[in-house]
Coordinates of all heavy atoms in Angstrom, one line a residue:
M1 N -13.4 16.5 8.8 CA -14.6 16.1 8.1 C -14.4 14.7 7.6 O -13.4 14.3 7.1 CB -14.9 17.0 6.9 CG -16.1 16.6 6.1 SD -16.6 17.7 4.8 CE -15.2 17.9 3.8
G2 N -15.4 13.9 7.7 CA -15.3 12.5 7.3 C -16.5 12.2 6.4 O -17.6 12.7 6.5
L3 N -16.3 11.3 5.4 CA -17.3 10.9 4.5 C -16.9 9.5 4.1 O -15.8 9.2 3.7 CB -17.4 11.8 3.3 CG -18.3 11.3 2.2 CD1 -19.8 11.4 2.6 CD2 -18.2 12.2 0.9
L4 N -17.9 8.6 4.2 CA -17.6 7.2 3.9 C -18.7 6.6 3.0 O -19.9 6.7 3.4 CB -17.4 6.4 5.1 CG -17.2 4.8 4.9 CD1 -15.9 4.6 4.2 CD2 -17.2 4.1 6.3
V5 N -18.4 6.1 1.9 CA -19.3 5.4 1.1 C -19.0 3.9 1.1 O -17.8 3.5 0.8 CB -19.3 5.9 -0.4 CG1 -20.2 5.1 -1.3 CG2 -19.6 7.4 -0.4
V6 N -19.9 3.1 1.4 CA -19.7 1.6 1.5 C -20.6 1.0 0.5 O -21.8 1.3 0.4 CB -20.0 1.1 2.9 CG1 -19.9 -0.4 3.0 CG2 -19.1 1.7 3.9
V7 N -20.1 0.1 -0.3 CA -20.8 -0.8 -1.2 C -21.0 -2.1 -0.5 O -20.1 -2.8 -0.2 CB -20.1 -0.9 -2.6 CG1 -20.9 -1.8 -3.5 CG2 -19.8 0.4 -3.2
D8 N -22.3 -2.4 -0.2 CA -22.6 -3.7 0.5 C -22.4 -4.9 -0.4 O -22.1 -4.8 -1.6 CB -23.9 -3.6 1.2 CG -25.1 -3.6 0.2 OD1 -24.9 -3.9 -1.0 OD2 -26.2 -3.3 0.6
S9 N -22.5 -6.1 0.2 CA -22.2 -7.3 -0.5 C -23.1 -7.5 -1.7 O -22.7 -8.0 -2.7 CB -22.2 -8.5 0.4 OG -23.5 -8.6 1.0
D10 N -24.4 -7.1 -1.5 CA -25.4 -7.2 -2.6 C -24.9 -6.3 -3.8 O -25.0 -6.7 -5.0 CB -26.8 -6.9 -2.2 CG -27.4 -7.9 -1.3 OD1 -26.9 -9.1 -1.3 OD2 -28.4 -7.6 -0.6
G11 N -24.5 -5.1 -3.4 CA -24.0 -4.2 -4.5 C -22.8 -4.7 -5.2 O -22.7 -4.6 -6.4
L12 N -21.8 -5.3 -4.4 CA -20.6 -5.8 -5.0 C -21.0 -7.0 -5.9 O -20.4 -7.1 -7.0 CB -19.7 -6.3 -3.9 CG -18.9 -5.2 -3.2 CD1 -18.1 -5.9 -2.1 CD2 -18.0 -4.5 -4.2
F13 N -21.9 -7.8 -5.5 CA -22.3 -8.9 -6.4 C -22.9 -8.4 -7.7 O -22.6 -8.9 -8.7 CB -23.4 -9.8 -5.6 CG -23.9 -10.9 -6.5 CD1 -23.2 -12.0 -6.7 CD2 -25.2 -10.7 -7.1 CE1 -23.7 -13.0 -7.6 CE2 -25.7 -11.7 -7.9 CZ -24.9 -12.9 -8.2
E14 N -23.8 -7.4 -7.6 CA -24.4 -6.8 -8.8 C -23.4 -6.2 -9.7 O -23.4 -6.4 -10.9 CB -25.4 -5.8 -8.4 CG -26.3 -5.3 -9.5 CD -27.2 -6.3 -10.1 OE1 -27.6 -7.3 -9.4 OE2 -27.4 -6.3 -11.3
I15 N -22.4 -5.5 -9.1 CA -21.3 -4.9 -10.0 C -20.6 -6.0 -10.7 O -20.4 -6.0 -11.9 CB -20.3 -4.1 -9.1 CG1 -21.0 -2.8 -8.6 CG2 -19.1 -3.8 -9.9 CD1 -20.1 -2.1 -7.5
N16 N -20.2 -7.0 -10.0 CA -19.4 -8.1 -10.6 C -20.2 -8.9 -11.6 O -19.7 -9.4 -12.6 CB -18.8 -9.0 -9.5 CG -17.5 -8.3 -8.9 OD1 -16.5 -8.1 -9.6 ND2 -17.6 -7.9 -7.6
K17 N -21.5 -9.2 -11.3 CA -22.3 -9.9 -12.2 C -22.5 -9.1 -13.5 O -22.4 -9.7 -14.6 CB -23.7 -10.2 -11.6 CG -24.6 -11.0 -12.5 CD -25.9 -11.3 -11.8 CE -26.8 -12.2 -12.7 NZ -26.8 -11.9 -14.1
T18 N -22.8 -7.9 -13.4 CA -23.0 -7.0 -14.5 C -21.7 -7.0 -15.4 O -21.8 -7.2 -16.6 CB -23.3 -5.6 -14.1 OG1 -24.5 -5.6 -13.4 CG2 -23.5 -4.7 -15.3
L19 N -20.6 -6.8 -14.8 CA -19.3 -6.8 -15.5 C -19.0 -8.2 -16.2 O -18.6 -8.3 -17.3 CB -18.1 -6.4 -14.6 CG -18.1 -5.0 -14.2 CD1 -17.0 -4.7 -13.2 CD2 -18.0 -4.0 -15.4
N20 N -19.3 -9.3 -15.4 CA -19.1 -10.6 -15.9 C -20.0 -10.8 -17.2 O -19.5 -11.4 -18.2 CB -19.4 -11.7 -14.9 CG -19.1 -13.1 -15.3 OD1 -17.9 -13.4 -15.6 ND2 -20.1 -13.9 -15.4
D21 N -21.2 -10.4 -17.1 CA -22.1 -10.5 -18.2 C -21.6 -9.8 -19.5 O -21.9 -10.2 -20.6 CB -23.5 -10.0 -17.9 CG -24.2 -10.9 -16.9 OD1 -23.8 -12.0 -16.6 OD2 -25.3 -10.5 -16.3
L22 N -20.8 -8.8 -19.2 CA -20.2 -8.0 -20.3 C -18.9 -8.5 -20.7 O -18.2 -7.9 -21.6 CB -20.1 -6.5 -19.9 CG -21.4 -5.8 -19.7 CD1 -21.2 -4.4 -19.0 CD2 -22.2 -5.6 -21.0
G23 N -18.4 -9.6 -20.1 CA -17.1 -10.1 -20.4 C -16.0 -9.3 -19.8 O -14.9 -9.3 -20.4
Q24 N -16.2 -8.5 -18.7 CA -15.2 -7.7 -18.2 C -15.0 -8.0 -16.7 O -15.8 -8.8 -16.1 CB -15.7 -6.2 -18.2 CG -15.9 -5.7 -19.7 CD -16.5 -4.3 -19.8 OE1 -16.7 -3.7 -18.8 NE2 -16.7 -3.9 -21.0
I25 N -13.9 -7.5 -16.1 CA -13.6 -7.7 -14.7 C -13.4 -6.4 -14.0 O -13.1 -5.4 -14.7 CB -12.3 -8.6 -14.5 CG1 -11.1 -8.0 -15.2 CG2 -12.6 -10.0 -15.0 CD1 -9.8 -8.6 -14.9
L26 N -13.6 -6.4 -12.7 CA -13.4 -5.2 -12.0 C -11.9 -5.2 -11.5 O -11.5 -5.9 -10.6 CB -14.3 -5.2 -10.7 CG -14.3 -3.9 -9.9 CD1 -14.7 -2.7 -10.7 CD2 -15.3 -4.1 -8.7
A27 N -11.1 -4.4 -12.2 CA -9.7 -4.4 -11.9 C -9.1 -3.2 -11.4 O -7.9 -3.1 -11.0 CB -8.9 -4.7 -13.3
A28 N -9.9 -2.1 -11.2 CA -9.4 -0.9 -10.7 C -10.5 -0.1 -10.0 O -11.7 -0.2 -10.3 CB -8.8 0.0 -11.8
Q29 N -10.1 0.7 -9.0 CA -11.1 1.5 -8.3 C -10.4 2.9 -8.1 O -9.2 3.0 -8.0 CB -11.4 1.0 -6.9 CG -10.3 0.8 -6.0 CD -10.6 0.1 -4.7 OE1 -11.5 -0.8 -4.7 NE2 -10.0 0.5 -3.6
V30 N -11.3 3.9 -8.0 CA -10.8 5.3 -7.9 C -11.7 5.9 -6.8 O -12.9 5.8 -6.8 CB -10.9 6.1 -9.2 CG1 -10.5 7.6 -8.9 CG2 -10.1 5.5 -10.3
H31 N -11.0 6.6 -5.8 CA -11.8 7.4 -4.9 C -11.0 8.6 -4.4 O -9.8 8.7 -4.7 CB -12.3 6.5 -3.7 CG -11.3 6.2 -2.7 ND1 -10.4 5.2 -2.9 CD2 -11.0 6.6 -1.5 CE1 -9.6 5.0 -1.9 NE2 -10.0 5.9 -1.0
T32 N -11.6 9.5 -3.7 CA -10.9 10.7 -3.3 C -11.0 10.9 -1.8 O -12.0 10.3 -1.1 CB -11.5 11.9 -4.0 OG1 -10.7 13.1 -3.6 CG2 -13.0 12.1 -3.7
H33 N -10.1 11.6 -1.2 CA -10.1 11.9 0.2 C -10.2 13.4 0.4 O -9.8 14.2 -0.5 CB -8.8 11.5 0.9 CG -8.7 10.0 1.1 ND1 -7.6 9.5 1.7 CD2 -9.6 9.0 0.9 CE1 -7.8 8.2 1.8 NE2 -8.9 7.9 1.3
P34 N -10.7 13.9 1.5 CA -10.8 15.4 1.8 C -9.4 16.0 1.9 O -9.3 17.2 1.7 CB -11.6 15.5 3.0 CG -11.5 14.2 3.7 CD -11.3 13.1 2.6
G35 N -8.4 15.2 2.3 CA -7.1 15.8 2.5 C -6.1 15.0 1.6 O -6.4 14.8 0.4
E36 N -5.0 14.7 2.2 CA -3.9 14.0 1.4 C -4.4 12.6 0.9 O -5.3 12.0 1.5 CB -2.7 13.8 2.3 CG -2.0 15.1 2.7 CD -1.4 15.9 1.6 OE1 -1.0 15.3 0.6 OE2 -1.4 17.1 1.7
A37 N -3.9 12.2 -0.2 CA -4.2 10.9 -0.7 C -3.4 9.8 -0.1 O -2.2 9.9 0.0 CB -4.0 10.9 -2.2
Y38 N -4.0 8.8 0.4 CA -3.4 7.6 1.0 C -4.4 6.5 1.1 O -5.6 6.7 0.9 CB -2.8 7.9 2.4 CG -3.9 8.2 3.4 CD1 -4.4 7.2 4.3 CD2 -4.5 9.5 3.5 CE1 -5.4 7.5 5.2 CE2 -5.5 9.8 4.4 CZ -5.9 8.8 5.2 OH -6.9 9.0 6.1
H39 N -3.9 5.3 1.3 CA -4.8 4.1 1.4 C -5.1 3.9 2.9 O -4.1 3.5 3.6 CB -4.2 2.9 0.8 CG -5.2 2.2 -0.1 ND1 -5.7 0.9 0.2 CD2 -5.7 2.5 -1.3 CE1 -6.5 0.6 -0.8 NE2 -6.5 1.5 -1.7
S40 N -6.3 4.2 3.4 CA -6.6 4.1 4.8 C -6.8 2.6 5.1 O -6.9 1.7 4.3 CB -7.9 4.8 5.1 OG -9.0 4.2 4.5
E41 N -7.0 2.3 6.4 CA -7.3 1.0 6.9 C -8.6 0.5 6.3 O -8.7 -0.7 5.9 CB -7.3 0.9 8.4 CG -7.2 -0.5 8.9 CD -6.6 -0.6 10.3 OE1 -5.6 0.0 10.5 OE2 -7.2 -1.4 11.0
T42 N -9.6 1.4 6.2 CA -10.9 1.1 5.6 C -10.7 0.8 4.1 O -11.2 -0.2 3.6 CB -11.9 2.2 5.8 OG1 -12.0 2.5 7.2 CG2 -13.2 1.9 5.1
D43 N -9.8 1.6 3.5 CA -9.6 1.3 2.0 C -8.9 -0.1 1.9 O -9.3 -0.8 0.9 CB -8.6 2.3 1.5 CG -9.2 3.7 1.5 OD1 -10.4 3.9 1.4 OD2 -8.3 4.6 1.5
D44 N -8.1 -0.5 2.8 CA -7.4 -1.8 2.7 C -8.4 -2.9 2.9 O -8.3 -4.0 2.3 CB -6.3 -1.9 3.8 CG -5.1 -1.0 3.5 OD1 -5.0 -0.5 2.3 OD2 -4.2 -0.9 4.4
H45 N -9.3 -2.8 3.9 CA -10.1 -3.9 4.3 C -11.5 -3.9 3.6 O -12.2 -4.9 3.7 CB -10.3 -3.9 5.8 CG -9.0 -4.3 6.5 ND1 -8.0 -3.4 6.9 CD2 -8.5 -5.5 6.8 CE1 -7.0 -4.0 7.4 NE2 -7.2 -5.3 7.4
Q46 N -11.9 -2.8 3.0 CA -13.3 -2.8 2.4 C -13.2 -2.3 1.0 O -13.9 -1.4 0.6 CB -14.2 -2.0 3.2 CG -14.5 -2.6 4.6 CD -15.5 -1.8 5.4 OE1 -15.5 -0.6 5.3 NE2 -16.3 -2.5 6.2
P47 N -12.3 -2.9 0.2 CA -12.2 -2.4 -1.2 C -13.3 -2.9 -2.1 O -14.0 -3.9 -1.8 CB -10.9 -3.0 -1.7 CG -10.8 -4.3 -0.9 CD -11.4 -4.0 0.4
I48 N -13.5 -2.2 -3.2 CA -14.5 -2.8 -4.2 C -13.7 -3.8 -5.1 O -14.3 -4.8 -5.4 CB -15.1 -1.6 -5.0 CG1 -16.0 -0.8 -4.1 CG2 -15.8 -2.2 -6.2 CD1 -16.5 0.5 -4.8
V49 N -12.5 -3.5 -5.4 CA -11.6 -4.4 -6.1 C -11.0 -5.4 -5.2 O -10.4 -5.1 -4.2 CB -10.5 -3.6 -6.8 CG1 -9.5 -4.6 -7.5 CG2 -11.1 -2.7 -7.9
T50 N -11.2 -6.7 -5.5 CA -10.6 -7.8 -4.7 C -9.7 -8.7 -5.5 O -9.2 -9.7 -5.0 CB -11.8 -8.6 -4.0 OG1 -12.6 -9.1 -5.1 CG2 -12.6 -7.8 -3.1
L51 N -9.6 -8.3 -6.8 CA -8.7 -9.1 -7.7 C -7.2 -8.8 -7.4 O -6.8 -7.7 -7.4 CB -9.0 -8.7 -9.1 CG -8.3 -9.3 -10.2 CD1 -8.7 -10.8 -10.4 CD2 -8.5 -8.6 -11.5
V52 N -6.5 -9.9 -7.1 CA -5.0 -9.7 -6.8 C -4.4 -9.1 -8.1 O -4.7 -9.5 -9.2 CB -4.4 -11.0 -6.5 CG1 -2.8 -10.8 -6.5 CG2 -4.8 -11.5 -5.1
G53 N -3.7 -8.0 -7.9 CA -3.1 -7.3 -9.1 C -4.0 -6.1 -9.4 O -3.6 -5.2 -10.2
G54 N -5.1 -6.0 -8.8 CA -6.0 -4.8 -9.0 C -5.4 -3.5 -8.6 O -4.5 -3.5 -7.7
L55 N -5.8 -2.4 -9.1 CA -5.3 -1.1 -8.8 C -6.3 -0.3 -8.1 O -7.5 -0.4 -8.3 CB -4.9 -0.4 -10.1 CG -3.8 -1.1 -11.0 CD1 -3.6 -0.4 -12.3 CD2 -2.5 -1.3 -10.2
S56 N -5.7 0.6 -7.2 CA -6.5 1.5 -6.5 C -5.9 2.9 -6.6 O -4.7 3.1 -6.3 CB -6.7 1.1 -5.0 OG -7.5 2.1 -4.3
L57 N -6.6 3.9 -7.1 CA -6.1 5.2 -7.2 C -6.8 6.1 -6.2 O -8.1 6.1 -6.1 CB -6.4 5.8 -8.6 CG -6.1 7.2 -8.9 CD1 -4.6 7.6 -8.6 CD2 -6.5 7.6 -10.3
V58 N -6.1 6.8 -5.4 CA -6.6 7.8 -4.4 C -6.2 9.2 -4.8 O -5.0 9.5 -5.0 CB -6.1 7.5 -3.0 CG1 -6.9 8.4 -2.0 CG2 -6.3 6.0 -2.7
I59 N -7.2 10.0 -5.0 CA -7.0 11.4 -5.4 C -7.2 12.3 -4.2 O -8.2 12.2 -3.5 CB -8.0 11.8 -6.5 CG1 -7.8 10.8 -7.7 CG2 -7.8 13.2 -7.0 CD1 -8.8 11.0 -8.8
P60 N -6.3 13.3 -3.9 CA -6.4 14.1 -2.7 C -7.4 15.3 -2.9 O -7.8 15.6 -4.0 CB -5.0 14.7 -2.6 CG -4.5 14.8 -4.0 CD -5.1 13.6 -4.7
F61 N -7.9 15.8 -1.8 CA -8.7 17.1 -1.7 C -9.9 17.0 -2.5 O -10.2 18.0 -3.2 CB -7.8 18.3 -2.0 CG -6.6 18.4 -1.1 CD1 -5.3 18.1 -1.6 CD2 -6.7 18.7 0.2 CE1 -4.2 18.1 -0.8 CE2 -5.6 18.7 1.1 CZ -4.3 18.5 0.6
F62 N -10.6 15.9 -2.5 CA -11.9 15.7 -3.2 C -11.7 16.1 -4.7 O -12.6 16.6 -5.4 CB -13.0 16.5 -2.6 CG -13.6 16.0 -1.3 CD1 -13.9 16.8 -0.3 CD2 -13.7 14.6 -1.2 CE1 -14.4 16.3 0.9 CE2 -14.3 14.1 0.0 CZ -14.6 14.9 1.0
A63 N -10.5 15.9 -5.2 CA -10.2 16.1 -6.6 C -10.4 17.5 -7.1 O -10.6 17.8 -8.3 CB -11.0 15.1 -7.5
Q64 N -10.4 18.5 -6.1 CA -10.7 19.9 -6.5 C -9.6 20.5 -7.4 O -9.9 21.4 -8.1 CB -10.9 20.7 -5.2 CG -12.2 20.3 -4.5 CD -12.3 21.2 -3.2 OE1 -11.4 21.7 -2.6 NE2 -13.6 21.3 -2.8
R65 N -8.4 19.9 -7.3 CA -7.3 20.5 -8.1 C -7.2 19.7 -9.4 O -6.2 20.0 -10.2 CB -6.0 20.4 -7.3 CG -6.1 21.4 -6.1 CD -4.9 21.3 -5.2 NE -3.6 21.0 -5.8 CZ -2.7 20.3 -5.3 NH1 -2.8 19.7 -4.1 NH2 -1.5 20.1 -5.9
G66 N -8.1 18.8 -9.7 CA -8.0 18.0 -10.9 C -6.6 17.4 -11.2 O -5.9 17.1 -10.3
L67 N -6.3 17.4 -12.5 CA -5.0 16.8 -12.8 C -3.8 17.6 -12.5 O -2.7 17.2 -12.5 CB -5.0 16.5 -14.3 CG -5.9 15.4 -14.8 CD1 -5.9 15.3 -16.3 CD2 -5.6 14.1 -14.1
E68 N -4.0 18.9 -12.0 CA -2.9 19.7 -11.5 C -2.3 19.0 -10.3 O -1.1 19.3 -10.0 CB -3.4 21.1 -11.1 CG -3.8 21.9 -12.3 CD -4.3 23.3 -11.8 OE1 -4.0 23.7 -10.7 OE2 -5.0 24.0 -12.6
A69 N -3.0 18.2 -9.6 CA -2.5 17.5 -8.4 C -2.0 16.1 -8.8 O -1.8 15.3 -7.9 CB -3.7 17.4 -7.4
W70 N -1.7 15.8 -10.0 CA -1.3 14.5 -10.5 C -0.2 13.9 -9.6 O -0.2 12.8 -9.2 CB -0.9 14.5 -11.9 CG -0.4 13.2 -12.4 CD1 0.9 12.9 -12.6 CD2 -1.2 12.1 -12.8 NE1 1.0 11.6 -13.1 CE2 -0.3 11.1 -13.2 CE3 -2.5 11.8 -12.8 CZ2 -0.7 9.8 -13.6 CZ3 -3.0 10.6 -13.3 CH2 -2.0 9.6 -13.7
D71 N 0.8 14.8 -9.3 CA 1.9 14.3 -8.5 C 1.5 13.9 -7.1 O 2.3 13.2 -6.4 CB 3.0 15.3 -8.4 CG 3.7 15.5 -9.8 OD1 3.6 14.6 -10.6 OD2 4.3 16.6 -9.9
D72 N 0.4 14.3 -6.6 CA -0.1 14.0 -5.3 C -1.1 12.8 -5.3 O -1.6 12.4 -4.2 CB -0.8 15.2 -4.6 CG 0.2 16.3 -4.4 OD1 1.4 16.0 -4.1 OD2 -0.2 17.5 -4.6
F73 N -1.5 12.3 -6.5 CA -2.3 11.1 -6.6 C -1.5 9.9 -6.0 O -0.3 9.9 -6.1 CB -2.7 10.8 -8.0 CG -3.7 11.7 -8.7 CD1 -3.9 13.0 -8.1 CD2 -4.3 11.3 -9.8 CE1 -4.8 13.8 -8.7 CE2 -5.3 12.2 -10.4 CZ -5.5 13.4 -9.9
R74 N -2.1 9.0 -5.4 CA -1.4 7.8 -4.9 C -2.1 6.6 -5.5 O -3.3 6.4 -5.5 CB -1.5 7.7 -3.4 CG -0.8 8.9 -2.7 CD 0.7 8.8 -2.9 NE 1.4 9.9 -2.4 CZ 1.9 11.0 -3.1 NH1 1.7 11.0 -4.4 NH2 2.5 12.0 -2.5
W75 N -1.2 5.7 -6.0 CA -1.6 4.4 -6.6 C -1.2 3.3 -5.8 O -0.1 3.3 -5.2 CB -0.8 4.3 -8.0 CG -1.2 5.3 -9.0 CD1 -0.8 6.6 -9.1 CD2 -2.2 5.1 -10.1 NE1 -1.3 7.2 -10.2 CE2 -2.2 6.3 -10.8 CE3 -3.0 4.1 -10.5 CZ2 -3.0 6.5 -11.9 CZ3 -3.8 4.2 -11.6 CH2 -3.8 5.4 -12.3
Y76 N -2.0 2.3 -5.8 CA -1.7 1.0 -5.0 C -2.1 -0.2 -5.8 O -3.0 -0.1 -6.6 CB -2.6 1.0 -3.7 CG -2.2 2.2 -2.8 CD1 -2.8 3.4 -3.0 CD2 -1.3 2.0 -1.8 CE1 -2.5 4.5 -2.1 CE2 -0.9 3.1 -0.9 CZ -1.5 4.3 -1.1 OH -1.2 5.4 -0.3
R77 N -1.4 -1.3 -5.6 CA -1.8 -2.5 -6.2 C -2.0 -3.6 -5.1 O -1.3 -3.7 -4.1 CB -0.6 -3.0 -7.1 CG -1.0 -4.3 -7.8 CD 0.0 -4.8 -8.8 NE 1.4 -4.5 -8.5 CZ 2.3 -4.0 -9.4 NH1 2.0 -3.8 -10.6 NH2 3.5 -3.8 -9.0
L78 N -3.1 -4.4 -5.3 CA -3.4 -5.4 -4.4 C -2.5 -6.6 -4.6 O -2.5 -7.3 -5.6 CB -4.9 -5.8 -4.5 CG -5.5 -6.8 -3.5 CD1 -5.4 -6.2 -2.1 CD2 -6.9 -7.1 -3.8
E79 N -1.8 -7.0 -3.5 CA -0.9 -8.1 -3.6 C -1.5 -9.4 -2.9 O -1.0 -10.5 -3.1 CB 0.4 -7.8 -2.9 CG 1.2 -6.6 -3.6 CD 1.7 -7.0 -4.9 OE1 2.0 -8.2 -5.2 OE2 1.8 -6.1 -5.8
G80 N -2.5 -9.2 -2.1 CA -3.2 -10.3 -1.3 C -4.2 -9.7 -0.5 O -4.4 -8.4 -0.5
Y81 N -4.9 -10.5 0.3 CA -6.0 -10.0 1.1 C -5.6 -8.8 2.0 O -4.6 -8.9 2.8 CB -6.6 -11.0 2.0 CG -7.6 -10.5 3.0 CD1 -8.9 -10.2 2.5 CD2 -7.4 -10.3 4.3 CE1 -9.9 -9.6 3.3 CE2 -8.3 -9.7 5.1 CZ -9.6 -9.4 4.6 OH -10.5 -8.8 5.5
A82 N -6.2 -7.6 1.8 CA -5.9 -6.4 2.5 C -4.5 -5.9 2.4 O -4.0 -5.1 3.3 CB -6.4 -6.5 4.0
D83 N -3.8 -6.4 1.4 CA -2.4 -6.1 1.3 C -2.2 -5.2 0.0 O -1.8 -5.7 -1.0 CB -1.5 -7.4 1.2 CG -0.1 -7.1 1.1 OD1 0.4 -5.9 1.3 OD2 0.7 -8.1 0.8
W84 N -2.5 -3.9 0.2 CA -2.3 -2.9 -0.8 C -1.0 -2.3 -0.7 O -0.6 -1.8 0.3 CB -3.4 -1.9 -0.7 CG -4.8 -2.3 -1.1 CD1 -5.7 -2.8 -0.2 CD2 -5.4 -2.4 -2.4 NE1 -6.8 -3.2 -0.9 CE2 -6.7 -2.9 -2.2 CE3 -4.9 -2.0 -3.6 CZ2 -7.5 -3.1 -3.3 CZ3 -5.8 -2.2 -4.7 CH2 -7.1 -2.7 -4.5
R85 N -0.2 -2.3 -1.8 CA 1.1 -1.8 -1.8 C 1.2 -0.5 -2.7 O 0.7 -0.6 -3.8 CB 2.1 -2.8 -2.3 CG 2.1 -4.1 -1.6 CD 3.1 -4.3 -0.5 NE 2.9 -5.5 0.1 CZ 3.6 -6.6 -0.2 NH1 4.6 -6.6 -1.1 NH2 3.4 -7.8 0.5
A86 N 1.8 0.5 -2.2 CA 2.0 1.7 -3.0 C 2.9 1.4 -4.2 O 3.9 0.7 -4.0 CB 2.6 2.8 -2.1
I87 N 2.5 2.0 -5.3 CA 3.3 1.8 -6.5 C 3.6 3.2 -7.1 O 2.9 4.1 -6.9 CB 2.7 0.9 -7.5 CG1 1.3 1.4 -8.0 CG2 2.6 -0.5 -7.0 CD1 0.7 0.6 -9.2
D88 N 4.7 3.2 -7.9 CA 5.0 4.4 -8.6 C 4.3 4.3 -10.0 O 4.7 3.5 -10.8 CB 6.5 4.5 -8.8 CG 6.9 5.8 -9.5 OD1 6.1 6.5 -10.1 OD2 8.1 6.1 -9.5
A89 N 3.3 5.1 -10.1 CA 2.5 5.0 -11.4 C 3.3 5.3 -12.6 O 3.0 4.7 -13.7 CB 1.3 6.0 -11.3
D90 N 4.3 6.1 -12.5 CA 5.0 6.5 -13.7 C 5.8 5.2 -14.2 O 6.1 5.1 -15.4 CB 6.0 7.6 -13.4 CG 5.3 8.9 -13.2 OD1 4.2 9.1 -13.7 OD2 5.9 9.7 -12.5
V91 N 6.1 4.3 -13.3 CA 6.9 3.1 -13.7 C 6.0 1.9 -13.9 O 6.2 1.2 -14.8 CB 7.9 2.8 -12.6 CG1 8.7 1.5 -12.9 CG2 8.9 4.0 -12.5
E92 N 5.0 1.8 -13.1 CA 4.2 0.5 -13.0 C 3.0 0.5 -13.9 O 2.5 -0.6 -14.2 CB 3.8 0.3 -11.5 CG 5.0 0.2 -10.6 CD 5.7 -1.1 -10.7 OE1 5.2 -2.1 -11.3 OE2 6.9 -1.2 -10.2
V93 N 2.4 1.6 -14.2 CA 1.1 1.6 -14.9 C 1.3 2.2 -16.3 O 1.9 3.2 -16.5 CB 0.1 2.5 -14.1 CG1 -1.2 2.6 -14.9 CG2 -0.1 2.0 -12.7
I94 N 0.7 1.4 -17.2 CA 0.7 1.8 -18.6 C -0.7 2.0 -19.0 O -1.5 1.1 -18.9 CB 1.4 0.7 -19.5 CG1 2.8 0.5 -19.1 CG2 1.2 1.2 -21.0 CD1 3.5 -0.7 -19.8
V95 N -1.1 3.2 -19.4 CA -2.5 3.5 -19.8 C -2.5 3.4 -21.3 O -1.8 4.0 -22.0 CB -2.9 4.9 -19.4 CG1 -4.3 5.3 -19.8 CG2 -2.7 5.1 -17.8
V96 N -3.5 2.6 -21.8 CA -3.6 2.4 -23.3 C -5.0 2.9 -23.7 O -5.9 3.0 -23.0 CB -3.4 1.0 -23.7 CG1 -2.0 0.5 -23.5 CG2 -4.3 0.0 -22.9
Ligands
ZN1 ZN1 -9.6 6.1 1.1

């Protein structure tokens, strides 16, 4: 089964303009997959977050297992254009 949601360039502009007007930046994105969590080629090349250093969280199985699946969540950080690197959230991410 496949499902793809695409935010077009007008939508991205509106998101970023709205956040900019609020003095905020788009620094993280979250999405889910029907199966295992990983960053697909589409995820790499058509992200909503384009800020270097931005984070991407992928949740497996349409998030049906909630936080019970925490160990199967996958985190990535954007290092450059389409260069998402897997990170260990326990070490790299501090939630405040
Ligand atoms: Zn994905």
